[in-house]
Amino acid sequence: VVWALSVDARPHTVTASPIAGAGILASSGTLQPGATYSLTFNSVGWYPFFCSIHPVMVGAINVAPVTTTTTTTISTTTTTTVDPLRCGASFGNAACPASAP
């Protein structure tokens, strides 16, 4: 995750809340306008954070498990061979199926 301050912003921090869990206790230090801060989350969970300069500014990162979907398509083809010399226009008997391609 990358936090990016706009050039006209005031200084901020990205500080992990104590309940962040999973051993991640991060602090960006003071970020000046135009600065960025990145943090990699390797475990599924919620990671709350706040700005230590402006404690009412809070947020949370939700790291969800990766899911994969596998789709299998099976197609079949049935071929009926009709001998036009034997069947002519009389389809439907044992030698000539009811429908012909």
Side-chain angles (χ1 to χ4, degrees), residues 1-5 12-21 24-28 31 37 39 41 45-63:
V1 175
V2 177
W3 287 265
L5 272 64
H12 293 283
T13 70
V14 176
T15 305
S17 293
I19 59 171
I24 293 180
L25 297 174
S27 178
S28 64
L31 299 172
Y37 174 68
L39 186 60
F41 298 87
W46 282 91
Y47 299 91
F49 63 91
F50 64 97
C51 174
S52 63
I53 298 170
H54 311 98
V56 296
M57 298 179 82
V58 298
I61 302 298
N62 178 21
V63 179

Side-chain angles (χ1 to χ4, degrees), residues 10 12 17 19 21 23-24 32 34 38-39 44 49 51 60 64 76 78 83 85 87 90 93 99 101:
R10 294 183 177 179
H12 293 283
S17 293
I19 59 171
I24 293 180
Q32 297 300 322
S38 65
L39 186 60
V44 172
F49 63 91
C51 174
T76 59
T78 302
D83 182 350
L85 296 176
C87 295
S90 63
N93 62 38
S99 63

